[in-house]
Amino acid sequence: MAFLLSSRLMKSDLMKPRTCSSLLSSTSSIVMMEQRAGAKFKYFPDRDLDPPKSTENVVMPDRPRLPIMPKTPLFWSHGGIKPPRQTKEMWRMRGEELVNTELKLGQFGIVALHGGMLKHEHFETMRMGFGRQAKLKDKLFAIYGVDAPYKPITHHGVGKRMGGGKGSISEYGTPVKAGRVVLEVGGDVLWQEVQPWLAKIAQKLPFKALAVNATMLDELRAEEARLVQTNKNPMTFEYLVRNNMFDCQRQLSLYDKIWFGKFVYLDRQMNIKWKWVTKERYKGKK
């Protein structure tokens, strides 16, 4: 509207004889109308017209794409030595991760909400899901937050009779605990660009996972700590176990005494990380 009015004033000024006073009055009126037109933005405080903040990870590595993980560990793939068959070792997936819980790049990633086993097919899902986005954007790279498959998984085969000892090794996997960073993404990109396809990759993993950024990760931890501090019920599961109320330690397992019911059983309410923050509910066995 201001542009139309200013154009009309300029056309009317061209028809009149030009003097210094007329030129000054016309320019002042144009400036005043432009100021009035710009004042309408104060009624929309939610509009963000500022440029996005500059990212830190703008230097692309030599290989920005995810590598192909081997199906068999390189130590056993050369042959010569028969790989050993191990037990299930479920303790590798129980409990909470205490080491690899931070985003090394400080940008975006996928965090496991409870324990599980990553196999070669899941690594390929992450690699191909990221590769489709890397073709569209040049300033994008990713790194794995977990090791290559190293845990042997045995299988007897379909239609085989019981007995006969331990089965042969069918594949290898990587055990993951709750709270572990599985995948990290960095580059000159925004969270709004990464979140849609990163959440789709998280849904295809064999365990519940959450796509987060560095700010969300800090907020989830802060809210969980606040809920623990403001809890008014003193009779928590940890309090009952530590004080051996009603001789409960006799009936509990060793993992319950360490993790106090958290991240131990798949059919428990306390198995999901940040459950009270995200308000996740157990919907029963599938």
Side-chain angles (χ1 to χ4, degrees), residues 18-46:
R18 295 191 175 185
T19 59
C20 293
S21 59
S22 62
L23 289 173
L24 289 174
S25 61
S26 61
T27 52
S28 62
S29 61
I30 293 171
V31 171
M32 289 295 294
M33 288 182 179
E34 288 180 353
Q35 291 178 355
R36 290 176 184 176
K40 67 179 181 180
F41 288 101
K42 72 177 182 179
Y43 298 104
F44 300 94
D46 297 335

Side-chain angles (χ1 to χ4, degrees), residues 41-79:
F41 288 101
K42 72 177 182 179
Y43 298 104
F44 300 94
D46 297 335
R47 290 187 179 180
D48 186 10
L49 303 178
D50 298 331
K53 297 181 180 179
S54 59
T55 56
E56 298 178 357
N57 303 314
V58 294
V59 180
M60 294 292 293
D62 297 335
R63 295 183 178 180
R65 297 194 179 186
L66 293 171
I68 300 175
M69 288 294 188
K71 291 185 179 182
T72 306
L74 298 178
F75 185 79
W76 306 112
S77 61
H78 298 297

Side-chain angles (χ1 to χ4, degrees), residues 103-245:
L103 294 173
K104 299 177 182 178
L105 301 177
Q107 285 190 281
F108 323 113
I110 297 176
V111 180
L113 297 181
H114 61 77
M117 181 75 74
L118 282 175
K119 300 179 181 179
H120 180 264
E121 56 188 16
H122 304 124
F123 282 99
E124 286 295 298
T125 301
M126 291 188 288
R127 185 183 67 85
M128 296 180 67
F130 171 77
R132 296 187 188 98
Q133 305 298 326
K135 292 179 181 178
L136 304 176
K137 300 171 184 177
D138 298 333
K139 298 182 178 180
L140 192 65
F141 66 94
I143 58 174
Y144 286 118
V146 293
D147 301 326
Y150 64 91
K151 181 77 175 64
I153 302 172
T154 58
H155 187 60
H156 258 298
V158 181
K160 190 175 181 181
R161 290 189 178 184
M162 296 179 64
K166 194 170 182 63
S168 59
I169 298 175
S170 61
E171 56 184 340
Y172 289 82
T174 302
V176 176
K177 291 185 177 182
R180 174 117 188 209
V181 178
V182 180
L183 179 69
E184 284 195 57
V185 177
D188 192 7
V189 289
L190 300 176
W191 170 244
Q192 291 78 5
E193 302 176 88
V194 176
Q195 192 273 336
W197 57 267
L198 201 62
K200 291 182 180 179
I201 296 176
Q203 292 177 356
K204 298 178 182 178
L205 297 180
F207 43 76
K208 287 189 177 181
L210 185 65
V212 298
N213 54 26
T215 305
M216 288 175 58
L217 199 59
D218 296 337
E219 291 177 354
L220 286 170
R221 292 170 180 170
E223 180 64 17
E224 185 181 27
R226 187 191 69 82
L227 292 174
V228 172
Q229 293 177 359
T230 57
N231 182 27
K232 296 183 179 180
N233 183 14
M235 297 297 177
T236 59
F237 189 80
E238 181 178 353
Y239 177 84
L240 298 176
V241 175
R242 287 184 181 276
N243 294 276
N244 195 19
M245 302 295 287

Side-chain angles (χ1 to χ4, degrees), residues 23 30 71 81 87 125 128 158 206 251 258-259 267-268 276:
L23 289 173
I30 293 171
K71 291 185 179 182
I81 303 176
T87 58
T125 301
M128 296 180 67
V158 181
Q251 305 296 330
I258 298 175
W259 301 106
D267 58 345
R268 291 285 185 92
W276 306 114

